[in-house]
Every structure is written in C-alpha cells, then in structure tokens.
C-alpha cells in the first residue's frame, strides 16, 4: 500500500512539474500579448495622423484606434491617459487574471497541498536517528532570526490577504455574502498594501545575509541527485544549507521574492506616471510569481515544522542539537566543530 | 485502503471547488436586475410603481432626440 | 423597454465639451474626476473627429468581471452601476475598463489608497432609495427615476451624443445616415455591446451599401 502511494507521489511530483512549465510559458506568452498593445503610449513608428476621408467608411480607422495603432488623441481633460480613447488590453488583462491566474493558480496551490498531505501520510516526520546529546550548536544569530521571522510573518499575511483578493469572490462571498466579503477585502487590501514594503525591505536584508552560505558547492550535487534522501530515508551530507534550502533561497526567495517586491511596489505607489498597461503587466507578474512562491513556501514550511524533527528549534532558539547537525548538515557540523562524524 | 478513499474524495472535492473559480456568465437579461437593493427607476415617486407611465415619459424624450422628426 | 445605450456620432460632435460640463455640474462630481470626456483624433488635420466617451455600460463588462468584491450590478435597463459601500478602491476596474471610465477621488496616492471608485451612472444614481440625499451625495442625481434621460445627451447641442433604448437609437441613426449618406460607424459599439444579438441590433444602423 505505502509503496503504491510512494509511486503515486513521484507521479504527482512529475505532474506538478509538467503543470509548472506550461503555466510559466502561458504567463510569459500572455505577458507578451499584453505588451504588444501600445495603448496609452505614443508609438514613435505609428503614424500620428490617419486621415479619414469624409463620406467614406471609417470603420477601418476606428478599428485602428481600438488596437492603438495611432498616436492617442487630444483632450482638454487633465487626468492621465484621458487622451486614450480606448485600451483594449484592459479586457485582455481581465481574461488573464480571471482565467489562467485564478484557475491554474488555484490548481497549483491545491495540487501542492494534496501532494504534501500525501507525503506526510506516507512518510511521516523525519525523525532523529540518534538520541539528542544536549550539546547545542549556534545555528542562527539573533539578527538572522529576526530577519527570518519578519519575512515569514509578513509573507503569511501577504499571502493570505493577496489570496483573498483573488479568491474571496469565489470562496468567501458564496458562504458569507457580498457585504462580509467586501469588509474583509477592505481590511485585506490595506494590510496587504502596508505590509508589502516591510516584507520587501527585510527580504533584501535576508538575501544579503544568507547569499554566501547558499552558494552551490560540490556536495550539493549528490543531494540533488538523491533528492536529499527524502524518499529513500538516506541522510546526504551538506553544508550549512542543503541543496533543497539553496533552491528555495535562489528560486523562491530571491527570484520570485524580488519579482513580487518590485512589481508590488509598482502597484503600491502609482505615483510615477504608471500607465494602466504598466499596472496590468505588474499585476500579472506579481500574482503569478506570488502563486508560485506560495506553492514553494508550503514545502519550506512543511519541512521546517512537522516534516523534520528538530528543525524548528534552530530558528526558534537559534541553537540546534549536535545529533541534528550531524544527521542533516554533516559538512557544516564538521566545519564548526572541527570534528569528524 | 481508507487513506486512498479519503485522498480520492479530497481531490474530487477540491476539484469541484476550483471549477467555481472560473468567471460566471454576466450576460444581460432584459428586465432583470442583479441589484441587491436598488429600486427600479419607476418604483418611486413621481412614477410610484407605474411602469408604463415611466416608459412613456423616457420614450418621449428618447424620440425627441431625433431632430428630423421635430423640424418636420 | 429594452437595453439602454449611448451613441456618439463622430460626424456631429464639435468638441464643445458641453456634455462634460453638464455632467460635472449636475452630479457635483469631485475634483479630478470627469465622468465624461471628449477626445479628438487627428486634431487639426483633415478628417478630424471628436468623440464623447463615458462608461458605455458594457454587455460583458470587464469592470464587473474583475471586481474582487463584486460590487457592480446590472439594472433592468442593462446599466452597469456600482455600490460605493462595498468598493475597496483596489483600482482593478480601472485597469480593466476599455474606455477609462472608472476614476478615483484621491488620484494616485501611496499604498494605492484610492478613494471609492466613481464613474458615469447613466444618470441613474446607485443603490438605495431613488432621489434620496444619500444617493445624491454618493452617485449624483437620479434623472432616470425622474423620467428623464442622461443630462449629457439631453443637452448636447448637435445631438451627436444620444442616449436611450437601443432600438430607438438605431432608428434615429438609420434615418440620419440615410439622409446624409455616410458615417454609419458607431464608435465603440462592438467593444461595449459585443457580437451577439445586441450587435445585430446595432448592425441595422449601417447604411445600405452604395454601388
Ligand atoms: C510574498 C508576498 C506576497 C504575496 C504572497 C502577494 C500576493 C498577492 C496576490 C495573490 C495579489 C492579488 C492578485 C489579484 O487579486 O488578482 C496581490 C496583489 C497586490 N500585491 Fe501582493 N503579494 C506579496 C507581496 C507583496 C509586496 C511585497 C507588495 C508591495 C510592496 C505587494 C503589493 C500588492 C499590491 C499593491 C497588490 C494589488 C492589490 C490591490 O491593489 O488591492 N504584494 N498580491
Ligand atoms: S465602460 Fe468600463 S466601467 Fe463602463 S461598463 Fe464598460 S468596463 Fe465597466
Ligand atoms: S475599485 Fe471598487 S469597484 Fe473597482 S474593482 Fe475595486 S472594489 Fe470593485
Ligand atoms: S449619463 Fe449622467 S453621469 Fe453619465 S456622463 Fe452623462 S451626465 Fe454624466
């Protein structure tokens, strides 16, 4: 039975990968499509003027206006982009947000939740093989723990509030009604908008602090090949951070985290002449990257709590037991104690 | 065994939940309002529920926009 | 009564901005918001065209589709109205609207702290009692409940901008096009009202092909 599920697990893993790649590709393709519209911008190559002959069919001209082929018009209204008669990319953005981002993003998160639940049911917690020694090693300084927890707590807040903006209409509203949903979303939007920059600032501190210890070394190759022994139960030696943690650090925290932060700040501070098109693109990248990061964070949170005995202690108290260090980070253990196993 | 059933059930239910996340059709059905609390324009004084009187009033104004009729 | 729509006849609009001013005044629209605006294409060139644009009250409205709080609703006459009490000022309707109709009183401010969205109501107010003080403050005057049409259209001096039942507007436009012999294109109609039955109704206003 458990073998069957383990085999299943591998399949789910492969399927998730098979889902991720097309999702990324479609997001990129859609992004390019939105980008291909030139609404709101004066295209240097576009003819500034297209003469509509009087008394003839002007349908082609209006079609061109619709597709933003010409320079925008002139208006006496002073609000930004008031001279743009029509921006068809607004509806394209609507289709992307309400289509792939909502539906596929939802699937992604559910798939990861199911996969982790299955993994836990089959494999359970990774236990310490040897009894704890009572001798403690310093793993994270106060500064490191502070940075980690500010990022973690603000991340969870941002994820919950961000997801409720995207899914509240589908999950909260049918149960509690429009007014409750609207009130919750008002809180969510404000919490999200004010927590964002805090998250971004501490995220940068985190990247700076841990980048060096996350550089890839030769031992990582073995870990990656054996998937950290997560399936076999083997313990693969690693430095201060193992390959899994490094992958999360570079792909999740650094690439996705910075993408979310940069696009989030663009959305948060519409003070620098952002056009609607800028906001649409920023939103698509923000929401897609956020959904991927949430999916990855599930794995990170799982392994840091119920997935592996003794891991949480390090980030809570700053110290880990020697037995834990030996089992999970043999190379690091050797480096800081000078002792071989 | 039981595990597998639970998992299958879980997958099925979450799948169902997600199908609810697609866009709902929002087509317009003439004469149907989706407002939670907005009385139709003819419901209150001066028309006080007399729908045909209201329709006649706006209709006159609509047709009055055609100056070819007015100047003839 | 069927579907309420706007038509702006670009062959007639003279860019006087009367509709813009009338709307501002009638509804005491806050600073920085124009529910209606006139855009001139090919300005100063032969073939210059001016078009008055506000919310088109779209059939498959993008604003409605993206609103996280679902605060939009559609009235019996097909108008797209919205509830300011439920609006969180996220700006999504503004990103999605093809016509630039939704606007915000605070303008662009830090932390996206926009006020409640405001847009053209087809002079039909909003939720709550018709013609009440509260409705007036939040949404402007409810002319429809007074048996009147949108002010912007009613005061248009050239009758470029007309508003009302789609069928009546079609009849007016058809007669116009037949008399002057050109200029049947209804700007923005297909975007706002789609290709379905309603567009077919729109098709009727096209002038017969001339040999
Ligand atoms: C990693 C943490 C974050 C997550 C998980 C996250 C997630 C999300 C999600 C899912 C949405 C909703 C998309 C939709 O409704 O279509 C959203 C919107 C948004 N996010 Fe984030 N976000 C994060 C970080 C940030 C940061 C760092 C900022 C700003 C610096 C930010 C600013 C925004 C803004 C302004 C919006 C638009 C929401 C609105 O205008 O009401 N987010 N975010
Ligand atoms: S014109 Fe804009 S605001 Fe009006 S219904 Fe269409 S999408 Fe919504
Ligand atoms: S700004 Fe208001 S009306 Fe517009 S999408 Fe957001 S909540 Fe809805
Ligand atoms: S219909 Fe009324 S609210 Fe809309 S633009 Fe005209 S005057 Fe303004």
């Amino acid at each position: 039975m458990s073998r069957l599920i383990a085999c299943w697990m591998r399949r789910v893993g492969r399927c998730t990968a098979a889902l991720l790649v097309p999702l990324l590709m479609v997001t990129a393709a859609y992004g390019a499509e939105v980008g291909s519209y030139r609404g709101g911008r004066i295209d240097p190559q576009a003819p500034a003027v297209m003469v509509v002959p009087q008394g003839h069919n002007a349908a082609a001209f209006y079609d061109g206006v619709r597709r933003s082929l010409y320079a925008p018009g002139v208006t006496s209204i002073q609000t930004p982009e008031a001279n743009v008669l029509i921006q068809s990319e607004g509806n394209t953005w609507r289709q992307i947000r309400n289509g792939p981002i909502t539906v596929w993003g939802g699937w992604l998160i559910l798939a990861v939740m199911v996969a982790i639940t299955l993994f836990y049911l089959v494999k359970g917690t990774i236990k310490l093989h040897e009894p704890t020694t009572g001798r403690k090693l310093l793993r994270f300084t106060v500064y490191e723990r502070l940075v980690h927890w500010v990022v973690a707590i603000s991340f969870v807040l941002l994820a919950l509030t961000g997801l409720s903006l995207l899914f509240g209409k589908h999950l909260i509203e049918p149960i509690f009604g429009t007014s409750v949903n609207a009130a919750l979303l008002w809180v969510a939007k404000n919490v999200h908008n004010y927590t964002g920059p805090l998250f971004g600032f501490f995220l940068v501190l985190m990247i700076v602090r841990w980048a060096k210890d996350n550089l890839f070394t030769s031992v990582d190759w073995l870990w990656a090949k054996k998937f950290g022994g997560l399936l076999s139960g083997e313990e693969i030696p690693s430095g201060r951070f193992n390959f899994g943690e490094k992958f999360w650090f570079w792909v999740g925290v650094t690439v996705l985290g910075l993408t979310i932060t940069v696009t989030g700040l663009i959305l948060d501070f519409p003070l620098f002449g952002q056009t609607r098109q800028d906001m649409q693109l920023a939103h698509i990248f923000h929401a897609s990257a956020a959904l991927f990061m949430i999916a990855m964070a599930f794995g990170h949170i799982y392994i840091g709590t119920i997935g592996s005995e003794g891991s949480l202690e390090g980030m809570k108290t700053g110290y880990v037991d020697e037995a834990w260090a030996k089992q999970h980070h043999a190379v690091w253990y050797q480096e800081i104690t000078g002792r071989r196993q | 065994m039981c595990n597998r059933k639970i998992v299958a059930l879980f997958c099925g239910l979450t799948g169902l939940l997600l199908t609810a996340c697609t866009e709902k059709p929002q087509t317009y059905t003439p004469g149907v309002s989706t407002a939670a609390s907005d009385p139709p324009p003819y419901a209150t004084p001066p028309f006080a529920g007399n729908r045909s009187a209201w329709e006649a009033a706006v209709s006159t104004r609509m047709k009055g926009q055609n100056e070819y009729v007015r100047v003839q | 009564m069927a579907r309420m729509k706007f038509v702006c006849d670009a062959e007639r609009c003279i860019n006087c901005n009367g509709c813009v001013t009338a709307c501002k005044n009638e509804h005491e629209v806050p600073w920085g918001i124009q529910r209606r605006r006139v855009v001139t294409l090919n300005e100063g060139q032969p073939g210059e065209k001016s078009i008055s644009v506000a919310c088109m009250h779209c059939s498959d409205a993008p604003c409605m589709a993206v609103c996280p709080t679902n605060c939009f609703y559609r009235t019996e006459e097909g108008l797209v109205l919205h509830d300011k009490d439920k609006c969180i000022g996220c700006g999504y309707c503004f990103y999605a609207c093809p016509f630039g109709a939704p606007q915000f009183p605070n303008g662009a401010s830090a932390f996206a702290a926009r006020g409640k969205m405001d847009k053209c109501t087809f002079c039909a107010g909003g939720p709550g009692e018709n013609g009440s003080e509260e409705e007036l403050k939040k949404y402007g005057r409810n002319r429809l409940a007074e048996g009147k049409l949108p002010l912007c259209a009613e005061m248009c001096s050239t009758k470029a901008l007309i508003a009302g039942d789609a069928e009546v507007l079609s009849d007016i436009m058809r007669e116009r096009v037949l008399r002057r012999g050109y200029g049947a294109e209804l700007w923005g109609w297909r975007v706002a009202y789609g290709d379905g039955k309603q567009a077919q109704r729109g098709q009727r206003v096209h002038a017969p092909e001339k040999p």
Side-chain angles (χ1 to χ4, degrees):
Chain A
M1 182 63 220
S2 77
R3 252 222 214 131
L4 191 95
I5 298 186
C7 161
W8 238 73
M9 280 291 311
R10 253 168 272 145
R11 268 192 219 153
V12 169
R14 254 179 259 139
C15 289
T16 319
L19 260 171
L20 286 183
V21 175
L23 186 55
L24 255 179
M25 275 160 49
V26 168
T27 316
Y30 268 127
E33 192 191 327
V34 176
S36 75
Y37 288 102
R38 286 170 293 228
R41 295 252 174 75
I42 296 175
D43 177 7
Q45 254 119 57
V49 162
M50 191 230 176
V51 175
V52 195
Q54 290 283 333
H56 288 272
N57 193 320
F61 172 68
Y62 292 136
D63 187 55
V65 174
R66 179 179 177 189
R67 292 190 286 125
S68 311
L69 292 184
Y70 317 119
V74 171
T75 181
S76 46
I77 305 304
Q78 297 301 303
T79 42
E81 288 190 275
N83 58 343
V84 178
L85 203 46
I86 190 164
Q87 57 120 17
S88 294
E89 56 270 38
N91 199 40
T92 311
W93 173 74
R94 164 247 186 129
Q95 283 161 350
I96 297 164
R97 178 192 178 252
N98 290 0
I101 291 182
T102 311
V103 180
W104 298 18
W107 274 115
L108 173 70
I109 294 204
L110 280 178
V112 171
M113 271 161 59
V114 170
I116 288 177
T117 313
L118 274 172
F119 188 86
Y120 182 65
L121 287 177
V122 176
K123 286 279 169 183
T125 307
I126 302 170
K127 292 260 184 293
L128 284 180
H129 297 169
E130 280 163 36
T132 51
T133 60
R135 284 189 301 276
K136 301 286 187 187
L137 300 173
L138 178 66
R139 187 157 167 79
F140 296 113
T141 63
V142 175
Y143 173 74
E144 283 174 323
R145 279 181 287 145
L146 177 83
V147 170
H148 175 270
W149 287 118
V150 173
V151 168
I153 293 168
S154 60
F155 177 86
V156 171
L157 273 176
L158 286 161
L160 286 175
T161 53
L163 288 176
S164 66
L165 279 172
L166 195 53
F167 294 106
K169 194 174 177 172
H170 306 294
L171 302 179
I172 306 172
E173 196 191 298
I175 304 169
F176 300 103
T178 337
S179 303
V180 173
N181 186 44
L184 280 175
L185 289 191
W186 185 82
V187 176
K189 184 203 116 174
N190 285 300
V191 170
H192 195 95
N193 288 177
Y194 285 86
T195 316
L198 181 82
F199 167 85
F201 182 72
F202 278 81
L203 186 86
V204 172
L205 294 184
M206 176 185 259
I207 294 171
V208 169
R209 178 70 183 207
W210 281 339
K212 208 173 119 257
D213 287 332
N214 276 289
L215 293 175
F216 291 105
T217 59
S218 53
V219 272
D220 294 323
W221 179 234
L222 187 67
W223 198 99
K225 244 179 17 197
K226 302 209 162 179
F227 196 49
L230 275 177
L231 297 173
S232 59
E234 238 178 307
E235 282 305 337
I236 319 288
S238 64
R240 186 178 182 204
F241 297 117
N242 65 38
F243 179 80
E245 290 169 298
K246 288 178 184 178
F247 185 79
W248 163 236
F249 180 83
W250 292 115
V251 177
V253 175
T254 309
V255 174
L256 294 177
L258 287 180
T259 306
I260 295 169
T261 303
V262 171
T263 54
L265 290 172
I266 293 172
L267 292 165
D268 223 355
F269 297 90
L271 306 164
F272 305 97
Q274 288 102 313
T275 60
R276 283 167 290 180
Q277 191 186 349
D278 298 330
M279 300 297 262
Q280 289 153 3
L281 282 172
H283 176 277
I284 288 171
F285 280 100
H286 185 82
S288 320
L291 287 161
F292 280 120
M293 195 173 173
I294 292 169
M296 287 180 82
F298 274 126
H300 173 74
I301 294 167
Y302 168 77
I303 211 77
T305 54
I306 55 170
S308 168
E309 190 183 352
S311 289
L312 189 58
E313 206 188 309
M315 201 45 87
K316 238 166 54 186
T317 64
Y319 290 89
V320 291
D321 198 273
E322 255 190 31
W324 184 90
K326 254 195 239 170
Q327 180 174 332
H328 291 288
H329 297 274
V331 179
W332 175 67
Y333 173 77
Q334 192 188 319
E335 273 167 16
I336 60 162
T337 59
R339 267 177 276 162
R340 290 217 143 259
Q341 259 184 293
Chain B
M1 196 60 243
C2 198
N3 259 356
R4 217 208 281 181
K5 267 188 197 152
I6 293 172
V7 167
L9 199 72
F10 184 61
C11 291
L13 281 180
T14 49
L16 264 179
L17 210 68
L18 258 184
T19 50
C21 288
T22 45
E23 243 182 48
K24 288 170 195 63
Q26 42 176 26
T27 40
Y28 163 57
T29 321
V32 176
S33 167
T34 62
S37 64
D38 187 18
Y42 49 82
T44 41
F47 297 99
N50 188 345
R51 185 172 181 160
S52 48
W54 177 78
E55 284 190 358
V58 282
S59 212
T60 312
R61 283 183 178 246
M62 280 174 207
K63 293 188 181 125
Q65 296 180 112
N66 188 353
E67 76 283 350
Y68 290 120
V69 178
R70 278 190 280 150
V71 296
Q72 252 161 21
Chain C
M1 187 80 33
R3 172 82 158 84
M4 294 285 194
K5 291 182 184 176
F6 277 124
V7 168
C8 183
D9 186 350
E11 305 298 323
R12 285 193 177 204
C13 178
I14 56 168
N15 190 14
C16 70
N17 279 281
C19 48
V20 179
T21 317
C23 175
K24 276 287 285 190
N25 186 60
E26 177 81 341
H27 304 296
E28 305 284 351
V29 180
W31 273 105
I33 296 178
Q34 332 289 334
R35 288 185 175 180
R36 183 168 281 288
R37 66 189 198 279
V38 181
V39 181
T40 305
L41 303 167
N42 285 347
E43 209 238 7
Q45 308 289 332
E48 175 184 294
K49 292 262 185 300
S50 291
I51 292 160
S52 172
V53 61
C55 172
M56 296 288 273
H57 301 273
C58 305
S59 289
D60 184 21
C63 58
M64 196 184 253
V66 296
C67 178
T69 65
N70 244 346
C71 63
F72 289 91
Y73 61 95
R74 193 181 288 286
T75 72
E76 290 180 16
E77 303 80 32
L79 305 178
V80 175
L81 300 185
H82 104 294
D83 184 346
K84 285 196 182 179
D85 294 340
K86 292 186 185 126
C87 174
I88 59 171
C90 66
Y92 288 0
C93 49
F94 160 68
Y95 305 161
C97 173
F99 301 102
Q103 291 170 33
F104 297 87
N106 294 6
S109 55
F111 297 105
R114 304 174 177 92
K116 307 273 185 193
M117 185 273 268
D118 188 273
K119 74 167 186 66
C120 157
T121 62
F122 208 86
C123 291
E129 201 182 325
N130 291 341
S132 63
E133 192 61 30
E134 201 197 346
E135 188 188 45
L136 181 68
K137 267 212 191 102
K138 282 190 197 151
Y139 308 96
R141 202 166 292 284
N142 191 337
R143 291 173 56 88
L144 224 55
E146 297 167 6
K148 298 171 185 163
L149 290 176
L151 184 64
C152 51
E154 289 211 301
M155 57 63 56
C156 177
S157 55
T158 62
K159 285 284 156 279
L161 184 64
I162 51 179
D165 190 297
E167 309 218 2
V168 178
L169 300 191
S170 294
D171 290 343
I172 297 175
M173 280 306 287
R174 191 170 48 245
E175 182 167 359
R176 237 182 233 189
V177 168
L178 283 173
R179 290 207 183 209
R180 71 184 172 208
Y182 66 91
E185 301 78 19
L186 293 186
W187 182 82
W189 260 44
R190 261 198 47 201
V191 179
Y193 308 124
D195 291 322
K197 238 168 65 193
Q198 275 144 3
Q200 278 162 25
R201 220 179 267 151
Q203 302 274 309
R204 282 177 25 200
V205 304
H206 282 250
E209 290 286 328
K210 268 190 270 165

